Amino acid sequence: MAVSKTHSANRIPTIYQCDSKGRENHTVVADLDGTLLIDRNSFPYFALIAFDVGGILRLLFLLLAAPLAGFLYRFVSESAGIRVLIFATFAGVKVSAIKSAASAVLPKHYSEDLHPETWRVFSSCSRKCVLTANPRIMVEPFLKNYLGVDVVLGTEISSYKGFATGFVAGSEVLVGKNKAVALRKAFGNETTPDIGIGDRKTDFPFMRLCKERYIVPSRPRVQPVRPETLPKPVIFHDGRLVQKPTPLITLLIILWFPIGILLSILRVFLCSISPISLCIYVLRTLGGQLTIKGTPPPPTTDGGRGIVLVCSHRTVIDAVYVSVCLRRMTSTVSYSVPRFSEFISPIRTCRLTRDRTKDAKLIKEILDEGRDLVICPEGTTCREPYLLRFSPLFAELTDQIVPVGIITKVTMFYGTTARGYKWLDPFFFFMNPMPAYEVTFLNKLQLEETCSAGKSNYEVANNVQEIIAKSVNYKCTRLTRRDKYRALAGTDGLVGQKPTHKVTSS
């Protein structure tokens, strides 16, 4: 294994020359931006935090501060540029809100930007350390929970009575010689890391403390590591922004935001007052996309019992879209839909209580009245291509079951949240320029596939989950609503519950 004896950029071997075999007992130390991550610019991650903790005005403030940060970064010092970004993002924000956003929002975007060659070497070592100029509070949840990093050394932010001041705690931003000092303090004088990886001259001081040194050359066309191949894929994540907000995308978001609000209100209002059979034309006229696959089940005959349409759960308006595709009224049941969402819904929404006996009675009454019922047995939404465990309650109450696969596509805003205001979910979804739904009606279950043929309710529910997963190319999991809310909000997913658990990775 090559050991560099010089520190000039053109003499240090590149990461492509590093052998990752036989590293099981080695310690690796790496920079973050431009090294472990492909992107050398940390602005998008500050922007994600800014929008999550302060909305569009905080995002605007950060964007206006970005030119100054860029000028200072390039012509004065890396430290000065980082200080501007920290102040614009964090000043006056609750430290708890920053921690929550870092745990729930950033991992998804970080996981999509991992450098494949750095990760090849980094993941082969047993002990891992990351040095970064970014605030430790931002990067630590992802690095420790998803990549298994042992030590995270980053810039510390100052706070007063639980609120960030926007200034750096201690002496300096962790750049240049400060990285070397922090590394020596963390490892002591007796321990020498085996591998040091950086991407710029300011990384050389800490790299000199390592036995081997490798540089990551800037190659913008490098394809990132596929997120699903990571030790812990990011299944649950929060935040409203879909894309990583580069300065240009951030500008487009800010310019679109007032237009999106007006368009969203118009879409919601017209769909609320229009006959359900006409909603499909309203949506398409206003830019919405709706693709219907398969054959929708016919209406229930007079005096007959209603059918259950079992759907994958993507947004709060899944049942509305299914009704639009059927061009007839249906009912739906939900546990945590806000009152305002019930009020604007064009279909009837019934509240579940999480009391199994009461909920079973409610569903049975709906079906006995001859009304078709749209139900999402996952109990909560999932943005990624995974299906959560299906509650088997529906399987006990009917043998008239139609699986329905649902896929949503958005380009700007997510229409779901675990930590924000849920009554805004439909509005954020319709703020997208062209929100898209794809609804696939699958074959109704045969009698021998239901509980009427002696199968258990769990067998039926698992079978329906697998049928839907195959139709939309998703993966089945055994994760539940509780797992999601513990990962993102520190609760068990109960309405009105305050955080009682430490936020954990999915």
Side-chain angles (χ1 to χ4, degrees):
M1 299 178 184
V3 179
S4 175
K5 297 182 180 181
T6 182
H7 310 299
S8 60
N10 60 347
R11 298 294 296 277
I12 297 178
T14 69
I15 193 65
Y16 296 90
Q17 297 171 272
C18 181
D19 188 358
S20 59
K21 296 180 181 179
R23 301 286 190 179
E24 292 81 7
N25 297 317
H26 284 195
T27 298
V28 61
V29 180
D31 181 40
L32 186 63
D33 297 320
T35 302
L36 190 55
L37 302 180
I38 296 173
D39 198 345
R40 295 168 63 98
N41 185 4
S42 59
F43 172 87
Y45 305 106
F46 282 98
L48 288 163
I49 293 283
F51 188 79
D52 193 78
V53 301
I56 196 69
L57 294 180
R58 174 72 67 164
L59 186 63
L60 174 60
F61 180 45
L62 177 63
L63 183 64
L64 293 175
L68 174 61
F71 176 83
L72 294 175
Y73 189 96
R74 182 174 293 272
F75 298 107
V76 179
S77 70
E78 186 177 341
S79 174
I82 292 292
R83 286 177 185 272
V84 172
L85 294 179
I86 290 175
F87 182 83
T89 305
F90 297 144
V93 178
K94 283 185 176 182
V95 174
S96 59
I98 298 171
K99 290 181 178 179
S100 177
S103 297
V105 179
L106 295 186
K108 190 257 185 191
H109 298 275
Y110 278 137
S111 70
E112 294 177 346
D113 195 37
L114 285 176
H115 195 292
E117 289 300 311
T118 307
W119 176 244
R120 173 180 61 82
V121 177
F122 193 81
S123 61
S124 68
C125 297
S126 59
R127 192 178 186 199
K128 306 174 182 69
C129 173
V130 171
L131 284 163
T132 177
N134 291 327
R136 180 184 56 82
I137 195 174
M138 276 178 57
V139 303
E140 191 171 54
F142 169 69
L143 294 174
K144 286 194 171 183
N145 294 336
Y146 290 93
L147 301 189
V149 174
D150 302 288
V151 180
V152 178
L153 302 174
T155 300
E156 300 293 337
I157 63 171
S158 68
S159 61
Y160 179 73
K161 292 186 177 181
F163 288 84
T165 63
F167 299 107
V168 174
S171 57
E172 293 291 340
V173 175
L174 211 63
V175 295
K177 293 181 179 179
N178 293 328
K179 285 186 177 180
V181 172
L183 183 62
R184 189 179 290 110
K185 184 177 179 181
F187 282 80
N189 294 324
E190 298 180 358
T191 303
T192 302
D194 296 283
I195 306 173
I197 311 173
D199 68 295
R200 63 196 84 187
K201 290 183 178 179
T202 54
D203 292 330
F204 289 177
F206 88 79
M207 293 169 66
R208 292 190 184 105
L209 302 178
C210 304
K211 297 177 183 178
E212 302 174 47
R213 294 164 284 279
Y214 297 92
I215 198 81
V216 180
S218 177
R219 295 184 181 179
R221 294 187 179 181
V222 173
Q223 292 297 314
V225 175
R226 289 184 299 150
E228 63 270 19
T229 64
L230 295 178
K232 274 186 182 176
V234 180
I235 297 177
F236 300 129
H237 58 91
D238 210 25
R240 293 292 190 180
L241 299 183
V242 175
Q243 301 184 53
K244 188 170 74 171
T246 62
L248 177 58
I249 290 177
T250 300
L251 177 61
L252 294 176
I253 290 172
I254 292 171
L255 293 176
W256 174 259
F257 204 81
I259 301 172
I261 290 175
L262 295 176
L263 182 59
S264 175
I265 293 173
L266 182 62
R267 286 167 168 167
V268 171
F269 175 73
L270 291 181
C271 286
S272 296
I273 64 172
S274 300
I276 199 71
S277 59
L278 298 181
C279 283
I280 188 171
Y281 304 109
V282 173
L283 290 170
R284 286 175 174 169
T285 300
L286 295 177
Q289 298 180 342
L290 176 58
T291 303
I292 305 173
K293 296 183 177 181
T295 304
T300 304
T301 56
D302 292 340
R305 205 162 183 261
I307 62 173
V308 174
L309 297 109
V310 180
C311 308
S312 51
H313 201 4
R314 311 312 286 178
T315 77
V316 70
I317 52 177
D318 289 339
V320 174
Y321 265 89
V322 171
S323 295
V324 170
C325 295
L326 294 172
R327 302 199 183 191
R328 65 178 185 267
M329 293 296 292
T330 65
S331 297
T332 187
V333 291
S334 180
Y335 169 65
S336 60
V337 172
R339 294 288 183 186
F340 183 73
S341 297
E342 286 186 55
F343 175 73
I344 63 175
S345 175
I347 65 173
R348 180 179 175 184
T349 301
C350 302
R351 283 184 168 270
L352 296 176
T353 63
R354 295 182 73 88
D355 182 304
R356 191 175 183 84
T357 303
K358 292 181 180 179
D359 293 341
K361 181 180 178 182
L362 172 64
I363 293 173
K364 187 175 184 299
E365 288 176 352
I366 293 173
L367 297 176
D368 289 342
E369 291 173 6
R371 289 184 285 153
D372 294 336
L373 177 66
V374 181
I375 191 169
C376 300
E378 290 172 277
T380 188
T381 58
C382 182
R383 297 173 176 179
E384 296 303 303
Y386 297 90
L387 292 185
L388 309 188
R389 189 180 73 190
F390 277 27
S391 168
L393 181 60
F394 71 92
E396 304 171 12
L397 305 174
T398 183
D399 54 13
Q400 301 296 305
I401 301 171
V402 177
V404 181
I406 293 178
I407 298 175
T408 59
K409 296 177 182 178
V410 290
T411 56
M412 198 169 283
F413 303 105
Y414 284 114
T416 62
T417 184
R419 299 153 44 254
Y421 296 107
K422 291 183 176 294
W423 67 271
L424 289 175
D425 285 357
F427 292 96
F428 267 105
F429 178 80
F430 283 121
M431 280 177 65
N432 287 283
M434 300 179 69
Y437 251 84
E438 181 181 297
V439 180
T440 303
F441 292 96
L442 304 168
N443 295 330
K444 187 170 75 171
L445 262 59
Q446 300 294 322
L447 189 63
E448 57 268 21
E449 297 177 290
T450 68
C451 291
S452 296
K455 290 187 176 292
S456 72
N457 55 354
Y458 289 101
E459 288 179 304
V460 176
N462 291 341
N463 181 41
V464 173
Q465 183 194 35
E466 292 175 2
I467 291 172
I468 294 176
K470 288 180 181 178
S471 72
V472 295
N473 198 27
Y474 287 177
K475 293 181 180 179
C476 294
T477 75
R478 308 308 298 163
L479 298 171
T480 65
R481 175 188 176 90
R482 176 179 294 180
D483 296 316
K484 172 184 170 178
Y485 278 85
R486 284 193 174 183
L488 300 181
T491 72
D492 288 332
L494 303 176
V495 173
Q497 183 186 16
K498 294 182 179 181
T500 56
H501 306 283
K502 181 180 178 181
V503 175
T504 59
S505 61
S506 56

